[in-house]
Amino acid sequence: MPSTYSALKIELLGTGENSGTWGTLTNTNLGDAVLGEAITGSATVAFSSAADVTLTLTDTQASQSARNLRLNITESGAGVGYVGNLILGSGCQIEKFYLVRNNGTGVKTVKNTTGTGVAVAAGKATLVYNDGTNVVDVLNSFSSAILGAENAGSIIPFYFANQAAFPSASTYHGAIAHSHADGAMYFAHSSAWVRMLDSGGPLGTPSSGTATNLTGLPLSTGVTGTLGAANGGTGVANNAAMTVTGSGNFAYTRTLTGTTNVTLPTTGTLATLAGTETLTNKTLTSPVLTTPALGTPASGVMTNVTGLPLTTGVTGTLPIANGGTGTTSTTFTNLTTNVTGTLPIANGGTGTTSTTFANLTTNVTGTLPVANGGSGAVTLTGVLKGNGTGAFTAATAGTDYVAPGTATTFTALQTFNGTSSNASHKATNMLEVATVSAIAATGTINFDTTTQSVLYYTTSATGNFTVNFRGSSGTSLNTVMSTGESLSATFLVTTGATAYYNSVVQVDGSTVTPKWQGGTAPTSGNASSIDSYTYVIIKTGAATFTVLASVTKFA
C-alpha cells in the first residue's frame, strides 16, 4: 500500500512501504520540517512586485510556507506599499490557524481563492482561522465574551501615568482608564476620553468645563481674575489704569484724585451737559466748535476761518503778494512811464523785448523730451523702440524683433502656412530637445510634450511601465493640441536581463489603445538593449486621440 498525505501534507506511511527509511521519514514528519512547521514554524511571504501572492500545499515532506503557523509578510521593490491579497490556494482549503504579521506599508488581505478574507493593516498582526471556505478573524469570534476577574483578589489594571499615555479613544470606544497624574477615571466615548465625576467627593482641577449649574461659589476665595465690562465689571483691577467703553443705557461716575490722565474718544458725542461748564487750563487740539461765542481770543491763526466781514473784521492794507495793491491809494501805475525792465515769463510776460523768436540751432540747448514731441535721444541708429514715456532706444535683435542672423527663442505658438504650390518652411539640421535621465522605467511615466521630443532613461527598467502623454504638469495635451493636429514623441528605454516593456499608453491620464506597427502590441521588451518607442499622436476630436506606436531594438 503506497504512502498517502494528511491535510498538513504529513506523509502517512503505507504498510510494507519505505523499507529501511521508516525512521528517517518518521523523524522528518515529527521534526521541525513538517509537524514542527505547523506548530511553531514561521515563514516569510515576500511581496517583491505589485501583485498578489498565492501559497499552496502539495504532497511532499519538503518545507512549505502554507504549512507554517506564523506568516511574516515583507515588501521590497515594486511591492513596497502594494495593497493586495495573500491567497491560500491549492491544498490550503483546510481548517487551520495562522498568526499573520504584516511588516509592509500596504494593507494585505488573507483569503482563500473564494470568500472575503481578513484585512491585516500595515505594521499590525492578527490571528486568523481558515475554516476551509473562508478566512475569519479569530479575535472577532470573541466579541460577545465577557472579560472578568476571580473573586479571590484578582484585579484587571487599567493604569496609565497620565492622559497623554492613553490609547486612541476612537480605537478603544467604551474602554476605561485610570490617570495617576490627576487620580481620575476616564471612559472612551465619541472619539474622546471623558472624565468620570466622583459624586460627593472633591472635583479636583478639571482641564476644561462649563460652570453653568454650579452654586455656592464663594467670591472671595473661589474666583480669580478680573470681571470684564461685558459681565458688569470694570475690566481692570482696583485703582489700576482703565479704559471705560459703553453703549446703550450706560451710567458711569468716577471721581479722579491725584495725577490722572483721561483719554477721551475721538469720535461721537463726548457728553451732553445740562448746565454751563467752564474749562480751565485745558488744551484742545483740533476741536470742532458748533456755533460758539469765542469772545476775544488772546491770539490765534485764522487759516480756516470763513464768513469774516472785510469791512468790519479786517484791519490794515492787503499786500500785493496776497492779491492786494499794497496801497490805500486809488491812483494806478502807468506802465509806459512808471515801469522799467522786462516782464518775466513766470509773471505772464515773454521774458524779452524782442519780437524775434529763438533760433533752435543756436539759442536752444538739451534734448527735446518725448512728452514734448521729441525722441528723448540725441542720436538715432538702426531699429528703434519706445515705451510711451521714455527716450527712444535701439531695439535688440532676437529680443525685440526677429533677425535672420540672430538666435531667437519663441515662447508662443508660431504658425507657418504654405500655399497650394509652396511648402510652409524649409530647414537644415533641425535640432530636437532630448531629456536624458539616469532613471529606471517602471510605474507611470509622464511625457511632457512641451519640454521635450525625446525622453531617454539610461538605467535598466525594473518593471513594465505606463507612458502618459501630457502638455506639462499643469497643462493637458488636449489644451496644447487642436483637432486635426499631430505630434511625434520618442521614448528610449534601457533594459537589463529582464525585458520589461510599455504595457499601457495614456493621454492626459486616460488609457488609449495604440495601433501598433505590424498590428500586434508587444508583450515583452528586448533584453540587454535600448528599446526605442516612437509614438505619433493625432487629435481627432475633443479629448479624443489616435496613437500610432512602434518599438525598435537597438543593441
Side-chain angles (χ1 to χ4, degrees):
M1 178 179 180
S3 297
T4 58
Y5 287 84
S6 68
L8 286 174
K9 304 309 176 185
I10 298 174
E11 185 173 358
L12 307 177
L13 305 179
T15 302
E17 294 292 324
N18 303 309
S19 176
T21 61
W22 263 70
T24 301
L25 295 176
T26 301
N27 289 340
T28 301
N29 280 335
L30 301 179
D32 292 337
V34 182
L35 190 59
E37 283 186 335
I39 298 175
T40 62
S42 177
T44 297
V45 180
F47 282 76
S48 58
S49 64
D52 293 346
V53 174
T54 300
L55 302 182
T56 61
L57 276 174
T58 60
D59 291 342
T60 177
Q61 284 186 322
S63 178
Q64 302 185 70
S65 296
R67 186 191 287 134
N68 284 265
L69 171 66
R70 180 175 181 268
L71 299 180
N72 186 43
I73 297 175
T74 63
E75 295 175 348
S76 64
V80 174
Y82 174 67
V83 177
N85 301 312
L86 171 54
I87 301 173
L88 301 176
S90 175
C92 297
Q93 314 306 307
I94 60 175
E95 296 186 353
K96 185 181 184 308
F97 285 99
Y98 285 103
L99 178 58
V100 183
R101 172 70 183 182
N102 184 2
N103 291 298
T105 58
V107 177
K108 301 296 185 294
T109 298
V110 183
K111 63 187 295 291
N112 284 330
T113 52
T114 59
T116 57
V118 176
V120 183
K124 300 296 184 180
T126 189
L127 182 63
V128 300
Y129 177 68
N130 188 351
D131 61 11
T133 301
N134 195 15
V135 175
V136 296
D137 190 340
V138 174
L139 298 181
N140 285 342
S141 299
F142 301 147
S143 60
S144 61
I146 299 176
L147 183 63
E150 295 290 341
N151 292 331
S154 298
I155 61 173
I156 303 175
F158 300 92
Y159 172 84
F160 296 90
N162 48 50
Q163 279 189 261
F166 286 6
S168 169
S170 299
T171 304
Y172 297 97
H173 183 84
I176 62 173
H178 167 68
S179 169
H180 179 71
D182 56 13
M185 288 295 293
Y186 295 80
F187 69 94
H189 179 70
S190 297
S191 301
W193 285 99
V194 181
R195 177 172 174 149
M196 299 181 184
L197 297 179
D198 183 8
S199 177
L203 181 61
T205 304
S207 59
S208 64
T210 302
T212 304
N213 296 321
L214 296 182
T215 59
L217 181 67
L219 289 175
S220 59
T221 59
V223 177
T224 60
T226 303
L227 185 62
N231 302 99
T234 62
V236 296
N238 190 29
N239 294 327
M242 63 181 292
T243 299
V244 178
T245 302
S247 63
N249 297 327
F250 183 81
Y252 174 73
T253 302
R254 185 178 184 187
T255 301
L256 305 177
T257 60
T259 301
T260 304
N261 294 325
V262 177
T263 301
L264 301 177
T266 58
T267 60
T269 301
L270 176 61
T272 300
L273 305 178
T276 300
E277 301 294 332
T278 301
L279 299 178
T280 304
N281 297 327
K282 300 296 185 292
T283 299
L284 303 179
T285 303
S286 301
V288 177
L289 305 177
T290 303
T291 62
L294 291 179
T296 304
S299 62
V301 178
M302 304 184 68
T303 304
N304 296 321
V305 175
T306 59
L308 183 66
L310 290 176
T311 56
T312 58
V314 178
T315 60
T317 302
L318 185 64
I320 294 175
N322 299 98
T325 61
T327 178
T328 57
S329 173
T330 57
T331 302
F332 298 101
T333 301
N334 189 313
L335 291 177
T336 58
T337 59
N338 296 339
V339 176
T340 60
T342 302
L343 185 63
I345 294 174
N347 298 99
T350 62
T352 179
T353 57
S354 172
T355 58
T356 302
F357 297 99
N359 188 314
L360 290 176
T361 58
T362 58
N363 295 341
V364 177
T365 61
T367 303
L368 186 61
V370 174
N372 298 99
S375 65
V378 178
T379 60
L380 301 173
T381 303
V383 179
L384 304 177
K385 67 177 182 179
N387 61 10
T389 57
F392 284 89
T393 57
T396 302
T399 299
D400 300 311
Y401 64 93
V402 177
T406 303
T408 303
T409 299
F410 296 96
T411 58
L413 176 64
Q414 309 298 319
T415 301
F416 300 92
N417 292 324
T419 66
S420 60
S421 58
N422 291 310
S424 63
H425 63 280
K426 178 180 181 180
T428 302
N429 298 329
M430 181 177 292
L431 301 177
E432 292 184 294
V433 176
T435 300
V436 181
S437 300
I439 297 176
T442 187
T444 298
I445 299 165
N446 290 315
F447 195 117
D448 292 341
T449 59
T450 59
T451 59
Q452 63 203 353
S453 296
V454 178
L455 178 60
Y456 181 17
Y457 277 10
T458 60
T459 301
S460 295
T462 59
N464 295 336
F465 52 90
T466 296
V467 180
N468 178 45
F469 293 98
R470 64 186 188 182
S472 64
S473 61
T475 305
S476 66
L477 188 59
N478 187 53
T479 301
V480 172
M481 297 180 67
S482 298
T483 300
E485 293 181 342
S486 70
L487 62 81
S488 297
T490 300
F491 185 24
L492 303 179
V493 180
T494 301
T495 59
T498 303
Y500 295 109
Y501 69 100
N502 178 197
S503 57
V504 178
V505 175
Q506 295 179 341
V507 176
D508 295 331
S510 297
T511 299
V512 177
T513 301
K515 298 182 183 297
W516 287 93
Q517 184 179 22
T520 303
T523 58
S524 68
N526 297 288
S528 303
S529 65
I530 298 175
D531 284 343
S532 175
Y533 291 88
T534 301
Y535 309 88
V536 177
I537 304 171
I538 307 167
K539 183 174 179 180
T540 59
T544 305
F545 300 88
T546 296
V547 178
L548 307 180
S550 64
V551 58
T552 305
K553 174 183 177 181
F554 291 88

